[in-house]
Amino acid sequence: MTSAHTSRFPYPKGGDGTRRLGYGADYNPEQWPREVWAEDVRLMREAGVNTVSLAIFSWARLQPAEDTWDFGWLDEIMDLLHAGGIGVDLATATASPPPWLTTAHPEILPVTAAGETVWPGARQHWRPTSPVFREHALRLVTKLATRYADHPALVAWHINNELGCHNVYDFSDDAARAFRTWLRRRYTTLGTLNHAWGTAFWSQRYSDFDQILPPRLAGSHPNPTQQLDFKRFSSDALKDHLLAEREVLRELTPQTPVTTNFMVMGGTKGMDYADWAGEVDFVSNDHYVIPGPQDRDELSFSANLTSGIAGHRPWFLMEHSTSAVNWQPVNLAKAPGELARDSLLHVAHGADAVCYFQWRQSAAGAEKYHSAMVPHAGEDSELFRSVVNLGRTLEALAPIAGSAREPARVAVLFDWDSWWASEQDSHPTSLLSYHREALDWYSALLSLGIRADIVPAHGTGLSSYDVVIAPVLHVVPQTLAKELTRYVEGGGHLVTTYFSGTVDENDHVWLGGYPGALRDLLGIRIEEFGPLPEGETVTLDNATAGSLWTDRITVTGTDVEILARYEDGAQCARPAVTRRATDRGTAAYVSTRLGAEGLAVLLPELLAPAGVTSELPAGARGPVETAVRRDAENRYVFLVNRSDEPVALPDMAGEVLAGTYDGTVLPPREVAVLRQPTS
Ligand code: GLA
Ligand code: GLA
């Protein structure tokens, strides 16, 4: 791709000066005696490691007291890494404030909704809105940036660490003050705020901004718009911290790109990364597999969404695990082959660097049972040999560095506002999971062997997609309703679900019948929702079963087809799935939760008007996931065997860049990458 596309990405260079994929880990040398450091560099070289993230939790070591600084050890390790040819993504070290700071300034500690202090003892115990914390953090950033601006090992800045991992919601007085400032900016006047928050309800009308609080522990459901705005504010408060550190870095070291590690994974929902992504020079993500029936679908979903928020530019996988984590109820080791397959699935979705938490498994501390690149057993271990092998594979994949993900024909929209709003309290059901519904659609697509992009609902050019799936698109402002209507009128095929189009950006219901903002587009009208009790299902006449939700649908459009009806339950014989045809496009509605299996039954019918089908042979659909990257000369086709069995995969053209594929069979858990020249 063009140089502008990737110019800020810290590509390591090979001996011939060409780009390599990044490979490495968080490196925490302060946990080890000096003798181990030289050994670390030797083993890193053996594994092909070329990038490490350094000093993430080093604040107490770098600044042992308010006016005492100790950079000697960091100088030494930076020099050592540079001599070993290893680039450093240097942390600003602000993630975990040292004991002297929290002792002198307990007012930086976060406060829960119930008014409890979050004490030091773990990490990230700081209020995003504390001016005192901000001042101390920026002082440290200034010191580090000044000292290391010209160090030859420095390749990128790593702001803080997983902003919001433990401190996204703070209800302190600092937060209250900052929330009011944020609200003044959003609403300007109290009248506008009172309207937006619907404060006529329960006598909540404000006559002064100073009366407003975060949604602290209350006797019943706090105001829903206050809750939604507090979520938006909390994401913005962390982003504001990111920007404050970034400004110091940009001023002192403008030549060095800046990133911070996002957590696009599973249910991590506090940070609107679609909104943050434009603020960093390249997007970085952390991902951990949470074992379960859809675990590898979720990995693919998260990697895919990371690419979506990165505008399909290459992104940096800052952390994942070589094997077990330490924070699950039971921490499963990865099976043979999973280490490489998990990593390469991220690469398939646009990661141009593959890094782990962490380099050397800790002997002490809360993460001593978390896997690493060098395990407790040492270099003479299967795990380290797998790490070395992956390094070789990544070396072989050097030609793909800088290539972009090839867009799919199908998009699944993902929207933080809808996620936040649809799962709030005092709703028709408390069982709804926004993320699970989105993942179910993606799982169904994967099981049919159909490639899709997961993209943010706002700011994505929808018109390039033949099919747009918008699961539980709950918050639909007027502008989005218009965009979706234009999309369908322009020939697009929209699919949406229950509880979509229900409210505007203030969480006010669109009146006149559901799904409010999308009612005319879909050609249906719903007078009352029909959520189902936990465990109850209804049967549809297409041999699928619905759970969670049903709707009492009346068809209002003349051109609406009923794709499935309820066969039992309160909506018996009424429509369950509808599709309205416009001159050129279609708009379909699925009124119940079908789960991944049911959606796989329905999807071919939903995709048919767009002519979207699988590119894979029948037997490979499901066990094999494909993803494609491309540059000016080549397409790179990733074939990922998701199963533990060999899969017959004949006639896939191309030169095998990495992995084992003989033109007939893809071995169990294998990832093969084929290069196909485009000219
Ligand atoms: C997060 C953190 C790391 C480490 C890992 C463990 O990703 O950023 O410091 O705690 O979790 O999985
Ligand atoms: C109680 C209250 C009402 C309303 C209903 C809702 O009866 O008095 O104001 O909240 O509950 O069920």
Side-chain angles (χ1 to χ4, degrees):
M1 297 302 291
T2 61
S3 57
H5 182 73
T6 53
S7 60
R8 301 291 279 169
F9 195 92
Y11 287 105
K13 297 279 163 33
D16 56 358
T18 60
R19 285 171 172 173
R20 292 291 181 273
L21 297 175
Y23 188 41
D26 286 6
Y27 181 36
N28 299 303
E30 66 269 50
Q31 294 177 15
W32 298 96
R34 196 170 255 104
E35 312 77 88
V36 178
W37 300 356
E39 177 73 0
D40 282 336
V41 175
R42 178 183 71 76
L43 291 177
M44 285 178 191
R45 290 179 64 87
E46 191 181 325
V49 163
N50 50 34
T51 314
V52 295
S53 293
L54 192 60
I56 293 175
F57 297 106
S58 303
W59 194 344
R61 179 85 185 255
L62 292 168
Q63 190 183 10
E66 178 150 9
D67 290 309
T68 314
W69 300 89
D70 176 10
F71 292 107
W73 68 276
L74 189 55
D75 293 350
E76 201 179 314
I77 198 84
M78 292 278 288
D79 293 348
L80 209 59
L81 288 164
H82 179 61
I86 295 157
V88 174
D89 166 51
L90 187 57
T92 57
T94 55
S96 198
W100 63 260
L101 179 55
T102 49
T103 304
H105 295 287
E107 73 274 23
I108 72 171
L109 299 172
V111 176
T112 66
E116 305 148 321
T117 298
V118 177
W119 294 101
R123 64 175 173 185
Q124 219 172 52
H125 37 274
W126 52 276
R127 301 177 185 177
T129 56
S130 162
V132 176
F133 175 77
R134 181 73 58 89
E135 187 191 325
H136 281 89
L138 296 188
R139 191 162 167 237
L140 175 60
V141 179
T142 305
K143 285 271 185 193
L144 281 163
T146 309
R147 189 171 190 98
Y148 296 106
D150 300 318
H151 196 287
L154 180 69
V155 299
W157 287 108
H158 179 110
I159 290 183
N160 202 275
N161 189 62
E162 290 191 341
L163 287 159
C165 181
H166 313 292
N167 65 348
V168 58
Y169 297 123
D170 164 44
F171 298 80
S172 67
D173 290 342
D174 280 331
R177 268 186 293 275
F179 189 34
R180 288 177 204 130
T181 305
W182 185 93
L183 290 167
R184 277 179 205 274
R185 222 173 279 145
R186 184 174 175 90
Y187 295 112
T188 316
T189 68
L190 266 183
T192 321
L193 179 139
N194 277 313
H195 168 74
W197 284 21
T199 56
F201 183 81
W202 281 355
S203 187
Q204 293 172 348
R205 192 171 180 284
Y206 295 99
S207 55
D208 193 316
F209 271 97
D210 286 341
Q211 297 159 356
I212 301 174
L213 294 169
R216 291 176 176 163
L217 178 66
S220 177
H221 310 292
N223 181 303
T225 316
Q226 176 191 17
Q227 292 194 59
L228 180 57
D229 272 349
F230 189 67
K231 292 187 176 87
R232 292 168 172 151
F233 155 78
S234 297
S235 176
D236 281 358
L238 287 162
K239 186 177 77 170
D240 195 57
H241 184 84
L242 168 70
L243 299 188
E245 289 201 20
R246 187 196 68 185
E247 286 321 294
V248 173
L249 297 168
R250 287 227 167 127
E251 193 182 327
L252 295 173
T253 73
Q255 69 286 0
T256 304
V258 172
T259 194
T260 189
N261 43 345
F262 296 170
M263 290 178 282
V264 178
M265 60 174 127
T268 303
K269 76 175 191 183
M271 286 68 68
D272 180 354
Y273 293 125
D275 173 56
W276 292 24
E279 305 294 354
V280 290
D281 292 315
F282 59 94
V283 165
S284 300
N285 197 47
D286 295 352
H287 186 274
Y288 291 93
V289 174
I290 297 173
Q294 282 166 283
D295 51 12
R296 264 59 191 191
D297 297 358
E298 193 284 321
L299 189 164
S300 173
F301 181 95
S302 291
N304 195 326
L305 174 57
T306 304
S307 178
I309 63 172
H312 298 309
R313 281 180 283 277
W315 54 277
F316 199 109
L317 179 65
M318 194 62 86
E319 295 179 20
H320 65 320
S321 68
T322 55
S323 190
V325 298
N326 66 305
W327 41 264
Q328 285 283 301
V330 177
N331 295 295
L332 304 184
K334 290 192 182 183
E338 284 183 347
L339 177 150
R341 188 183 61 187
D342 289 353
S343 300
L344 295 172
L345 196 46
H346 288 284
V347 176
H349 286 288
D352 266 0
V354 166
C355 293
Y356 290 104
F357 175 84
Q358 60 179 329
W359 165 249
R360 185 180 282 279
Q361 187 169 13
S362 301
E367 295 182 320
K368 59 184 174 296
Y369 296 119
H370 192 297
S371 61
M373 293 176 92
V374 182
H376 287 154
E379 64 180 297
D380 182 12
S381 58
E382 236 176 76
L383 196 150
F384 188 69
R385 283 185 282 277
S386 304
V387 161
V388 172
N389 283 338
L390 178 60
R392 306 248 153 86
T393 304
L394 293 171
E395 182 68 23
L397 285 175
I400 72 160
S403 62
R405 246 176 111 258
E406 185 175 271
R409 295 181 60 196
V410 178
V412 178
L413 299 191
F414 196 84
D415 181 41
W416 269 264
D417 249 15
S418 288
W419 191 1
W420 293 339
S422 67
E423 292 182 1
Q424 292 208 131
D425 55 43
S426 65
H427 274 198
T429 176
S430 58
L431 304 176
L432 184 149
S433 162
Y434 175 85
H435 191 278
R436 183 185 60 194
E437 182 66 34
L439 179 58
D440 280 349
W441 283 88
Y442 190 64
S443 284
L445 289 159
L446 284 172
S447 74
L448 296 171
I450 290 165
R451 285 199 290 131
D453 292 349
I454 317 289
V455 292
H458 295 267
T460 298
L462 299 183
S463 58
S464 59
Y465 292 103
D466 296 324
V467 178
V468 168
I469 298 172
V472 192
L473 190 63
H474 183 62
V475 179
V476 180
Q478 189 73 258
T479 45
L480 183 56
K482 285 193 176 141
E483 193 186 341
L484 292 170
T485 303
R486 266 198 311 275
Y487 169 69
V488 172
E489 282 166 358
H493 300 279
L494 174 71
V495 179
T496 189
T497 74
Y498 60 91
F499 217 29
S500 293
T502 312
V503 297
D504 67 10
E505 63 275 28
N506 293 327
D507 201 24
H508 291 201
V509 172
W510 288 106
L511 301 179
Y514 316 120
L518 304 176
R519 194 170 59 225
D520 293 341
L521 179 60
L522 294 161
I524 58 171
R525 183 163 177 268
I526 295 158
E527 292 178 31
E528 195 165 23
F529 299 129
L532 297 175
E534 192 159 19
E536 195 168 307
T537 57
V538 286
T539 313
L540 276 62
D541 65 3
N542 63 355
T544 62
S547 63
L548 183 77
W549 196 282
T550 64
D551 282 315
R552 192 174 178 78
I553 297 176
T554 304
V555 170
T556 51
T558 48
D559 32 18
V560 177
E561 202 184 340
I562 293 163
L563 299 186
R565 288 181 186 273
Y566 289 104
E567 273 193 335
D568 53 21
Q571 328 296 351
C572 188
R574 299 187 77 95
V577 181
T578 62
R579 177 166 61 200
R580 176 176 161 240
T582 65
D583 280 351
R584 298 170 59 200
T586 61
Y589 184 78
V590 182
S591 65
T592 184
R593 175 169 188 239
L594 293 176
E597 274 182 37
L599 291 174
V601 173
L602 180 64
L603 259 168
E605 206 174 351
L606 295 175
L607 299 172
V612 172
T613 51
S614 177
E615 298 156 5
L616 288 169
R621 296 175 195 163
V624 174
E625 175 176 353
T626 57
V628 183
R629 299 180 52 159
R630 65 186 309 156
D631 57 24
E633 288 91 38
N634 297 289
R635 289 177 94 223
Y636 304 97
V637 179
F638 284 71
L639 304 172
V640 181
N641 187 342
R642 294 144 44 84
S643 78
D644 298 337
E645 308 296 329
V647 177
L649 201 57
D651 303 330
M652 301 291 294
E655 168 204 355
V656 179
L657 267 189
T660 304
Y661 170 64
D662 60 3
T664 58
V665 169
L666 192 62
R669 296 182 190 147
E670 186 67 8
V671 179
V673 185
L674 309 183
R675 171 157 57 190
Q676 303 174 340
T678 47
S679 47

